[in-house]
Amino acid sequence: MPLNEGPRQPGERRLSVNPFYGPANPVGDMAEAPPTHRLPDQPIAPATAHQLVRDELMLDGNARLNLATFVTTWMEPEAGVLMAECRDKNMIDKDEYPRTAELERRCVAMLADLWHAPDPAAAVGCSTTGSSEACMLAGMALKRRWTRRNADRYPGARPNLVMGVNVQVCWEKFCNFWEVEARLVPMEGERFHLDPRAAAELCDENTIGVVGILGSTFDGSYEPVAELCAALDAVQERTGLDVPVHVDGASGAMVAPFLDEDLVWDFRLPRVASINTSGHKYGLVYPGVGWALWRDAEALPEELVFRVNYLGGDMPTFALNFSRPGAQVVAQYYTFLRLGRDGYRAVQQAARDVATGMAGRIEALGDFRLLTRGDELPVFAFTTAPDVTAYDVFDVSRRLRESGWLVPAYTFPANREDLSVLRVVCRNGFSADLAELLTQDLERLLPELRRQQRPLTRDKGVATGFHH
């Protein structure tokens, strides 16, 4: 949740009320136009309040045309009905809503089986508000396990977490909030994510774990989790250090099990202690729900689990927040039940087909160079070709927005800050027809862009309003 300040300008602005909004006395309701930054003195009719809010929201972008977000923007009407019926149920009140709690347990068991936990019945997991909270919980467990093993040195020694510079910002937050040193493997050349050997070299006796990303938000590529575990096996053989791995599968953990079944990245690797995913990304549920799983109870220190006597019942919880609606968990169970393995495979394959097909058509235009092709996550990144000097990716993003398309342009992090790219996320609901329309709009813009004398973006820092 971003922090917001109050109005910067002095004085008070009031909303403008259309006479037709007034259900009984249009003139009187116009006179009672509510202020924007303080509570109104008097109530207004529900229809008027609804229309005032709706008018402002029209200025938001169209979610279906938002190719920046990984978050689900379309679900079946039946799922929407279920969510509406469950939005008043507090997920934390497991005594009052035992069936909702049971559906959460079933989802955890399904994910444990999907991710090849040694004993799915013994795997430990929970729902969260999203992958960010799930990552925080996984990081907390890694740190607590490390502190128990190093009780004679901590708090004197400073723990560290090793990861690629391409990690999602939630991991930077974790290191900041929980006072852990972030050791980042930089990008290098055409490698845009973590290198297993470089990650292993950063590990020492104070390393609480290494994060592997199954689907980088920068370009959609999978990090080589199996190679990372092998590199850490070699470290243990050489030094005795036993460094666990957490797999941030925010997107890929709901893609790879269906489309890349031979790829070994999950609990089949003994060094993988925990995995998270976003149910509201390629889990195909509206925001916000995430999942965190540990391979067994030993991987999640018991002292982190709160057992609360709440409204007459013993309730084990592991979360950063407390109250939240059960609607998203119910929607996740609905989607698991509705699609099954074959349904998920079909949906994710369709998204990958759209991504790879669109990437190929954009490459064929001749003005762009692909970094990835959408053949891992249904996501691809591309930049302008070396001989294109009249415009840059920020110009392309800005011009596409004129047609309603939200395609982010941004600069890569340390060691490749010279590289600016566009990225397209293909989700369920972004069809081949929509992809064709976007490609046509891009092709239509190219003659005008080519006629520019130079790129129009003067400050790339300002132009990069997108953050992963």
Side-chain angles (χ1 to χ4, degrees):
M1 176 67 74
L3 296 175
N4 292 295
E5 299 178 354
R8 297 177 181 273
Q9 300 297 328
E12 181 180 278
R13 188 173 74 84
R14 288 181 175 269
L15 294 167
S16 174
V17 179
N18 188 307
F20 283 101
Y21 293 174
N25 181 358
V27 177
D29 280 348
M30 285 182 68
E32 295 300 323
T36 57
H37 289 90
R38 67 173 178 83
L39 282 173
D41 295 326
Q42 300 295 327
I44 59 176
T48 305
H50 171 263
Q51 194 63 52
L52 288 172
V53 175
R54 191 174 187 181
D55 285 352
E56 289 214 38
L57 292 177
M58 286 193 303
L59 297 175
D60 275 345
N62 186 326
R64 291 281 297 279
L65 302 183
N66 182 0
L67 303 182
T69 183
F70 286 79
V71 172
T72 295
T73 55
W74 183 88
M75 290 189 74
E76 293 173 312
E78 291 83 356
V81 171
L82 275 175
M83 295 181 76
E85 293 172 347
C86 297
R87 61 191 173 199
D88 59 343
K89 295 182 179 181
N90 191 348
M91 192 66 226
I92 210 70
D93 294 346
K94 302 188 187 298
D95 279 349
E96 287 73 23
Y97 309 115
R99 302 321 301 170
T100 303
E102 171 61 20
L103 298 189
E104 180 186 28
R105 284 192 286 269
R106 292 179 189 178
C107 288
V108 168
M110 290 176 178
L111 289 171
D113 178 67
L114 184 68
W115 296 339
H116 300 96
D119 180 3
V124 181
C126 62
S127 66
T128 64
T129 54
S131 261
S132 291
E133 183 186 6
C135 291
M136 299 281 180
L137 298 179
M140 288 167 59
L142 290 174
K143 184 179 179 183
R144 184 59 59 93
R145 289 176 62 193
W146 177 86
T147 57
R148 287 197 311 190
R149 293 195 305 267
N150 294 273
D152 58 329
R153 299 191 307 111
Y154 185 77
R158 186 186 183 193
N160 66 72
L161 181 67
V162 175
M163 48 198 168
V165 72
N166 57 301
V167 291
Q168 213 267 356
V169 69
C170 68
W171 287 106
E172 299 176 34
K173 290 183 179 179
F174 166 76
C175 290
N176 186 12
F177 294 168
W178 274 271
E179 298 182 324
V180 172
E181 177 192 355
R183 293 189 175 179
L184 301 176
V185 178
M187 293 181 177
E188 185 175 343
E190 294 299 299
R191 175 180 57 77
F192 304 121
H193 56 221
L194 173 144
D195 173 69
R197 181 177 298 179
E201 290 174 355
L202 290 177
C203 294
D204 59 23
E205 66 277 7
N206 294 329
T207 302
I208 65 174
V210 181
V211 177
I213 310 292
L214 197 70
S216 171
T217 58
F218 278 89
D219 63 359
S221 62
Y222 295 158
E223 291 190 334
V225 179
E227 294 177 28
L228 172 62
C229 289
L232 294 174
D233 289 343
V235 169
Q236 185 173 11
E237 292 177 7
R238 186 173 68 252
T239 67
L241 293 175
D242 184 7
V243 180
V245 168
H246 171 79
V247 177
D248 183 349
S251 294
M254 293 305 298
V255 173
F258 307 109
L259 301 187
D260 308 293
E261 296 181 68
D262 294 333
L263 180 68
V264 179
W265 61 272
D266 52 16
F267 289 126
R268 286 171 288 184
L269 298 167
R271 195 165 291 280
V272 173
S274 50
I275 302 171
N276 72 274
T277 197
S278 283
H280 61 226
K281 292 181 180 174
Y282 288 97
L284 308 180
V285 175
Y286 286 139
V289 61
W291 300 92
L293 267 70
W294 291 262
R295 68 182 304 118
D296 50 37
E298 183 181 352
L300 175 60
E302 172 64 24
E303 62 265 27
L304 290 177
V305 179
F306 279 76
R307 299 188 177 276
V308 183
N309 185 348
Y310 187 70
L311 297 180
D314 178 65
M315 180 185 63
T317 64
F318 186 35
L320 296 180
N321 62 359
F322 205 64
S323 296
R324 57 188 172 90
Q328 282 80 5
V329 169
V330 170
Q332 184 74 85
Y333 182 70
Y334 165 85
T335 308
F336 285 168
L337 199 66
R338 165 79 172 87
L339 292 177
R341 287 178 181 256
D342 286 347
Y344 263 97
R345 186 175 297 110
V347 170
Q348 312 300 36
Q349 184 64 58
R352 181 178 281 181
D353 290 345
V354 169
T356 55
M358 187 177 175
R361 289 192 295 275
I362 288 177
E363 184 179 39
L365 295 174
D367 284 42
F368 302 103
R369 177 175 70 88
L370 293 179
L371 275 65
T372 48
R373 297 179 173 272
D375 54 356
E376 293 182 320
L377 285 190
V379 174
F380 64 96
F382 60 102
T383 188
T384 49
D387 59 341
V388 173
T389 59
Y391 65 91
D392 60 17
V393 295
F394 301 100
D395 292 329
V396 176
S397 178
R398 183 168 51 250
R399 292 301 307 274
L400 285 174
R401 186 179 286 262
E402 294 172 4
S403 299
W405 302 107
L406 305 178
V407 180
Y410 51 91
T411 302
F412 270 30
N415 276 26
R416 286 312 316 264
E417 291 168 312
D418 60 305
L419 181 60
S420 298
V421 305
L422 294 148
R423 190 199 65 196
V424 173
V425 178
C426 297
R427 307 177 307 279
N428 181 42
F430 182 68
S431 64
D433 291 337
L434 286 173
E436 182 65 26
L437 290 173
L438 173 56
T439 307
Q440 289 174 2
D441 280 344
L442 178 58
E443 189 171 7
R444 177 179 53 81
L445 290 172
L446 285 180
E448 296 180 35
L449 290 169
R450 291 165 181 160
R451 287 196 296 269
Q452 290 183 182
Q453 294 183 350
R454 56 172 178 75
L456 300 182
T457 305
R458 296 181 180 179
D459 187 347
K460 292 183 179 181
V462 173
T464 308
F466 170 73
H467 299 280
H468 298 264

